[in-house]
Amino acid sequence: MKHCLIVDDSRVVRTVAGRIIKDLSFEVSEAGDGSEALRKCRERMPDAILLDWNMPVMNGLDFVRALRREDGGQNPVVVFCTNENDAEHIGEAMRSGANEYIMKPFDAEIVESKFAEVGLV
Amino acid sequence: MQDTTFETLADLALKQSGQAFHPNKRYLMEARLATISRRESFATLDDLAHCLKSRPNPRFEAEVAAALTGKLTRFFGDRDLFDRIVTHVLPERLKLSKTGRLRIWCAGVSTGQEVYSLIMRLGEEVGSAITKADLEIIGTDISADCIETATVGSYGHFDVQKGLSVHRLMLGLDRNDTGDWQVKEALRQQATFKVHNLLEPADALGLFDVIICRNVLSAMAEPMQKQAADNLARQLLPGGLIFTAPGEKLSLGDGLVASRTYRGALERVSDKNKVAAA
């Protein structure tokens, strides 16, 4: 079973996204910010990461940049999931190593469609 | 909804668009007519049906029938199909073409995502002969509202995130102030949209190399399905193909047969074959 790490400072978003991603037959774990996510990735590198942008301690953009420098950090498929929805933010995320980009609000169909775009489902 | 209301609306749909409504699909009627009903200040669909019956008005009838058709569509609804058409079907058609001209018709295109998907997919071909072809892509739908949306090419937050990769979204659409996304002008210029009822002859649209007609015919009652399929078949160039959606159960007239070359495609029975069969 593939493993997806959900990184978002909102517990509600983590729960909602977690349900959707479990339905896509993923094992799911959670982190509340980028630095916690990075710790979890060092313990066990996930197959996919659903990543919020604005979070305390370490934001999503800094996280993905750091992740891509880690050992094995090129492997996870990183899908941003954020309120930032303008071309500049999207471009910056993609240049920093993200694979796909979801603009909040999202639903199950969007997550499934985006995961399909990057070959996760 | 009263039984007579269902009968009035089902009868109207059948006559105008060929669409078959099963009595257990009343909720679908309610949902699809909600906007029109509200706009015309009818308290219920019973009132709307009563008005249709007591004051016949061809324009309103056509509008109600158009609203009753299915509008569900999405970008790259059938990714494999678009790939096959762009990488195989069109290059083969181009080889046979003397003029370098290729014409594609998306029939029953609803709000136009299929047309723009095809245009975006074609734009991704690099070095293929197809990039030099003189392509004409036409989308038609029975609903004037849908064709208006398609022409403007403006789609909502949820629409643009289903079927479109963020890469295609950024390349093909711009976000406007309202939060909707509009297909870029350069892509919109490559598309033509027209209101057209598939039960009517389509001679005015001309002849086509490829006709894409997904999930439209299968919503029609059998005799209308044949009529619409025959109308499509008449607009095929020799060797031209019709693509429907996978798994669509169709009862077609004798004008169309399954293509031997392209899985899932239909082609017109040539007059030669007809003679041979007779």
Side-chain angles (χ1 to χ4, degrees):
Chain A
M1 191 179 257
K2 282 184 182 164
H3 171 211
C4 180
L5 177 64
I6 298 170
V7 192
D8 200 303
D9 57 339
S10 153
R11 198 172 51 81
V12 176
V13 172
R14 292 201 303 270
T15 308
V16 172
R19 283 201 189 135
I20 291 170
I21 292 170
K22 274 180 200 157
D23 283 344
L24 298 173
S25 299
F26 279 79
E27 178 196 342
V28 164
S29 55
E30 300 180 9
D33 68 72
S35 87
E36 188 190 348
L38 206 54
R39 271 200 310 280
K40 292 205 164 172
C41 286
R42 283 172 186 150
E43 284 166 24
R44 182 187 169 205
M45 204 51 89
D47 301 291
I49 300 171
L50 191 78
L51 182 63
D52 189 16
W53 190 301
N54 295 305
M55 291 177 290
V57 191
M58 181 192 255
N59 70 27
L61 196 67
D62 290 339
F63 164 78
V64 71
R65 286 174 177 159
L67 172 78
R68 293 311 193 201
R69 288 189 202 98
E70 292 280 319
D71 234 17
Q74 293 76 40
N75 299 335
V77 173
V78 174
V79 180
F80 259 98
C81 183
T82 166
N83 286 312
E84 307 294 348
N85 54 17
D86 55 279
E88 271 167 49
H89 277 91
I90 297 174
E92 193 171 14
M94 302 308 285
R95 281 192 299 276
S96 300
N99 301 90
E100 253 300 340
Y101 200 103
I102 293 171
M103 298 175 282
K104 288 177 182 171
F106 61 95
D107 61 12
E109 234 187 302
I110 289 179
V111 174
E112 186 172 1
S113 165
K114 291 295 188 175
F115 273 35
E117 288 294 336
V118 286
L120 283 169
V121 291
Chain B
M1 184 191 300
Q2 292 167 6
D3 288 348
T4 51
T5 298
F6 171 79
E7 282 157 24
T8 303
L9 294 173
D11 189 51
L12 176 77
L14 189 66
K15 281 191 188 130
Q16 297 264 339
S17 70
Q19 196 185 12
F21 267 103
H22 192 272
N24 66 12
K25 289 285 163 72
R26 290 175 189 215
Y27 69 93
L28 215 52
M29 284 183 166
E30 302 260 6
R32 290 176 181 175
L33 293 181
T35 308
I36 282 196
S37 184
R38 210 177 309 123
R39 190 197 68 201
E40 299 292 322
S41 309
F42 291 115
T44 63
L45 285 195
D46 297 328
D47 294 349
L48 187 149
H50 184 72
C51 171
L52 279 169
K53 264 181 134 168
S54 55
R55 294 173 48 203
N57 171 345
R59 238 176 92 180
F60 190 51
E61 284 172 10
E63 201 187 348
V64 169
L68 281 170
T69 59
K71 307 284 184 291
L72 200 67
T73 183
R74 58 190 289 171
F75 287 101
F76 291 89
D78 184 344
R79 195 184 305 239
D80 291 346
L81 176 64
F82 291 113
D83 281 343
R84 280 170 72 208
I85 288 176
V86 171
T87 59
H88 285 92
V89 180
L90 293 177
E92 285 302 315
R93 294 292 304 166
L94 189 61
K95 278 186 209 164
L96 300 170
S97 163
K98 290 189 187 91
T99 56
R101 190 154 189 243
L102 293 175
R103 303 189 76 234
I104 304 158
W105 177 16
C106 295
V109 76
S110 184
T111 39
Q113 284 93 323
E114 230 168 55
V115 165
Y116 291 124
S117 301
L118 198 56
I119 289 171
M120 280 188 233
R121 183 62 191 79
L122 281 161
E124 292 165 8
E125 286 299 285
V126 179
S128 157
I130 205 77
T131 56
K132 298 202 180 65
D134 173 15
L135 283 157
E136 192 181 349
I137 304 174
I138 297 176
T140 68
D141 198 88
I142 190 174
S143 160
D145 286 347
C146 282
I147 288 303
E148 197 187 321
T149 303
T151 307
V152 175
S154 184
Y155 303 98
H157 172 93
F158 285 87
D159 291 324
V160 299
Q161 296 202 81
K162 291 168 189 173
L164 276 185
S165 67
V166 73
H167 183 68
R168 281 176 172 153
L169 176 65
M170 299 310 291
L171 283 179
L173 293 89
D174 291 315
R175 189 170 180 276
N176 64 23
D177 300 338
T178 62
D180 284 344
W181 292 76
Q182 188 176 23
V183 176
K184 288 186 198 273
E185 199 186 347
L187 302 184
R188 279 186 278 133
Q189 279 173 352
Q190 298 174 51
T192 308
F193 291 102
K194 283 181 180 151
V195 178
H196 172 71
N197 184 338
L198 295 177
L199 296 181
E200 311 280 338
D203 304 65
L205 296 174
L207 300 178
F208 295 90
D209 295 276
V210 170
I211 298 175
I212 301 172
C213 185
R214 302 176 66 247
N215 303 313
V216 177
L217 297 176
S218 54
M220 294 182 177
E222 212 170 286
M224 282 75 172
Q225 211 173 91
K226 284 186 176 138
Q227 187 183 334
D230 285 342
N231 285 339
L232 293 178
R234 262 202 298 279
Q235 302 314 121
L236 282 176
L237 285 160
L241 296 158
I242 298 176
F243 290 89
T244 56
E248 260 190 285
K249 289 199 173 53
L250 303 173
S251 53
L252 302 169
D254 41 16
L256 285 166
V257 285
S259 163
R260 288 191 198 164
T261 327
Y262 294 99
R263 179 177 42 85
L266 300 165
E267 57 188 30
R268 202 171 58 174
V269 179
S270 70
D271 295 336
K272 217 163 40 184
N273 291 352
K274 268 187 198 158
V275 174

